[in-house]
Every structure is written in C-alpha cells, then in structure tokens.
Amino acid sequence: MSADHLSPTTRKSVYKCRLIILFLCFFILPTEAIGEIDPERRTNMEVGFAGPLYNNGPLGGYGMVLFNRPHFRAPDTYLLAILSPYLFAEVIRDKWPTEGHALGLSIGGGFLINDFDQVRDGSYVRRESFRGHGADAAFSYYLRPPPIGGELPVDGILRFASRYAIYQRSGDTDPTYLLPADSFVHSVKVGVRVGGVPPELLPEKALELSLWHQVDYRVKTGPHGLPGQRQETEHLTQQTWGSLGGAMPLWREQSGSVMISAGTSGRTDELSCYRMGSGLRFQDEVPLILHGYYFREIFARSFFLLNTSYRFAPIPAMERLQLQLNYDYA
C-alpha cells in the first residue's frame, strides 16, 4: 500500500519506521574478516554506504567496530569481535590439539542480515522485497601448515554452522506476497586459503588464492512470492567458488589490485544463489562487487568476475585522501 493512501498519523509512523530501517541499514554485519586467524592486533571502525544517483533503488550500507586480539588471555588464543546491531564473536584456540591445528567457536545474531531486495531489469521492486533477521552459531577447525617460504600463510578450514532465519514484511511488501518460512539452515563449509586479504577498507598489500565449497540444508521449505509467481525454496543447496588476486603498491602514493573470482552452484533458489552488485567489500562474506549496480542486484547460479582498481593520492601532501578508479567485468 502506498503511503499516499494512509491517514496522516499512520503515514507519520510509516515514515518513522522507514527512517529507523534506513539507519539500521548502516549496521549490517560485515563478514569478510570471518574465517581466518588474524595475527595483527586491530581496532577498526568502518562505515560504507552506496545508493543510486537516480531512481529509488535499494540502499546498501554497513557500519562496524572490529576488535581483533591475538594472544587474548593466553598466548595461543585469538578473539575477533564485530560490534553492530548484528553482533559476531569468535574465539580461536591455536595449536590445539597440537601444532598446526586450531579450533574456533563463534556466535552471532541481530537484524537485517537476511534482507531480500528484489531488483528486476534495473528496477527496485519494493512490493517483492522484505526484511530478514537471524542468529547463528558455528564450530570451526583450522589446519595450519607451515607458511610457504616462511611468509605466505596457508589455512585449511572446515566449518559446521547453524543459523535461524526470520522473515518479516517491510512497509512496502505487497499484502498478498507470501514470505518464506522461518527456518533453521545448517551448513558445512570446507576450503583452503593461501595468503589472504586483511580486513581493511583499502588494503595496500595482499595476495590470495582460495577455493571453497559449501552445502546448506534448509529445514523448512515452501513457496514464496506473489500469487501466480510463487517460487519454491530448496532443502539442499550447494556452492563452489574460488578467488585469485591481490593488491600491491606501485610507486609513491599509488597502488593497484586485481582479483578474479568464479563460482558455480548445484540446485539453488533465490535465497541461496550468488548475488552481485554495489561496491561495499564488507557487506557480504563473499563480496561479489560489481560497481555501478544496486546492492545484490544480479542473481546468478554461476559467475565469472574480474575486479581491478587503481588508487592514488590526488594531492601529494594529503596521503589520507585517496581517489580510486575501478573496472569490473562479470
């Protein structure tokens, strides 16, 4: 229902709810830092926002305070905490049960992490979009062989996770739209990473080669969507993807980066497929960035993605002011 057809009091309440949702959109969990043992002590506060210059497309954004504390309380214990309306915390015990192995336990929960924005032919379809919240817990095993050349870390990761997804109408969701069923989703993720990209907004130096496979099992499935356009969610979905690339300084205050990513999937659905778009690195655990598009605008069962960038200081005396040029191909 459009706000134009509501009473002044109800319209005021709807606008207030929209403002609250817009504010919370800045605080969706940034998850790229999850899934690796970070040896650096960090306290990072980062904010990102992306929106269309015209039309009324979905807004993408995040805000976070990231704490990473190696040797927390004990020489081989690591703590990673991300504070936002979606809270994430992981404790990793390195060198357990023996050298070259580690175990991790994580929990999280909060708002908007399972939001669904429907974009079709470049247009934001508000009446087919809805909100989604959730909570999760995971147990991880890390295999840590000696670094290559004594410098380049290698990590094997096996993660068992469970999350509970709750779906809710937004103020614009069509009254006849059937929401997906709230459900537990259990997943197993296995992968190997050589090197890695640090959890920094503009990393100057990085090298990564990684390969991942994830299997998700959704306990409750069923139709969702408008009458006559219903789609079914799947019990079992699978994804396999990988990345190769890095960033390096070039000369003076200039640097460049190249990253190639590709992935495919088995049986999948709208809630489980790959989503590309926007330019916000920390918005997703798998950041499939495609500049110039809305956040998560592109749905894909399989993909090939090339991201390149060139960054420099337009004013030599102001190194903290950076201009970045990007070229993407998908």
Side-chain angles (χ1 to χ4, degrees):
M1 178 181 291
S2 169
D4 296 330
H5 301 288
L6 302 176
S7 67
T9 302
T10 305
R11 188 183 305 130
K12 186 176 180 180
S13 299
V14 169
Y15 288 152
K16 188 179 297 184
C17 289
R18 289 177 179 173
L19 286 174
I20 293 173
I21 291 173
L22 177 61
F23 174 77
L24 290 177
C25 280
F26 280 86
F27 297 95
I28 298 174
L29 172 69
T31 55
E32 185 176 322
I34 299 171
E36 60 185 292
I37 298 176
D38 189 349
E40 299 291 331
R41 180 183 175 94
R42 304 179 193 273
T43 304
N44 297 354
M45 187 178 83
E46 297 172 344
V47 175
F49 171 78
L53 295 177
Y54 64 95
N55 291 338
N56 58 346
L59 300 174
Y62 69 88
M64 72 169 181
V65 179
L66 181 148
F67 295 92
N68 189 71
R69 294 294 184 267
H71 313 303
F72 178 77
R73 303 278 184 180
D76 297 316
T77 302
Y78 295 77
L79 172 67
L80 171 64
I82 299 174
L83 305 177
S84 67
Y86 192 101
L87 171 66
F88 171 85
E90 182 176 30
V91 177
I92 298 175
R93 176 66 175 175
D94 196 12
K95 299 180 182 178
W96 200 94
T98 184
E99 186 80 26
H101 305 268
L103 298 177
L105 182 64
S106 64
I107 57 172
F111 301 102
L112 307 179
I113 192 64
N114 292 309
D115 277 11
F116 181 86
D117 292 316
Q118 180 66 269
V119 180
R120 189 177 295 116
D121 296 327
S123 298
Y124 180 30
V125 188
R126 293 179 179 273
R127 68 194 194 112
E128 296 180 40
S129 303
F130 50 88
R131 305 278 74 89
H133 320 298
D136 59 79
F139 174 79
S140 304
Y141 164 73
Y142 298 87
L143 177 63
R144 310 196 70 202
I148 298 175
E151 297 260 343
L152 198 61
V154 180
D155 287 292
I157 300 172
L158 175 63
R159 171 169 292 129
F160 301 92
S162 290
R163 72 180 189 271
Y164 189 74
I166 301 172
Y167 301 103
Q168 185 180 43
R169 298 179 186 279
S170 70
D172 297 313
T173 307
D174 192 291
T176 65
Y177 190 95
L178 179 64
L179 294 176
D182 298 344
S183 178
F184 276 103
V185 181
H186 307 301
S187 65
V188 178
K189 179 179 180 180
V190 60
V192 60
R193 177 192 286 116
V194 180
V197 178
E200 300 170 358
L201 197 59
L202 299 173
E204 292 186 357
K205 187 182 296 185
L207 176 65
E208 176 172 325
L209 169 62
S210 60
L211 182 64
W212 308 94
H213 182 75
Q214 180 167 318
V215 179
D216 290 332
Y217 179 77
R218 182 178 295 271
V219 176
K220 290 184 180 180
T221 62
H224 70 94
L226 294 173
Q229 303 176 19
R230 299 273 160 86
Q231 298 197 38
E232 292 282 339
T233 51
E234 299 285 348
H235 275 298
L236 191 67
T237 59
Q238 299 187 57
Q239 293 181 327
T240 302
W241 71 96
S243 298
L244 171 64
M248 64 178 295
L250 300 175
W251 56 87
R252 294 183 181 178
E253 296 87 18
Q254 303 176 53
S255 62
S257 68
V258 177
M259 184 66 72
I260 298 173
S261 304
T264 187
S265 58
R267 211 164 169 180
T268 190
D269 54 47
E270 279 194 327
L271 301 184
S272 305
C273 66
Y274 299 105
R275 301 289 297 272
M276 290 184 286
S278 185
L280 303 174
R281 278 188 58 219
F282 296 100
Q283 189 81 49
D284 279 312
E285 185 175 2
V286 184
L288 303 180
I289 294 173
L290 199 56
H291 289 92
Y293 289 82
Y294 296 142
F295 171 57
R296 294 182 176 177
E297 176 174 350
I298 308 299
F299 295 69
R301 289 189 174 91
S302 60
F303 72 94
F304 170 84
L305 177 63
L306 170 67
N307 298 118
T308 64
S309 70
Y310 167 66
R311 189 169 69 246
F312 65 97
I315 304 175
M318 299 179 62
E319 295 183 8
R320 291 184 178 274
L321 177 63
Q322 299 281 318
L323 179 64
Q324 180 166 295
L325 307 178
N326 301 282
Y327 173 79
D328 304 326
Y329 175 81

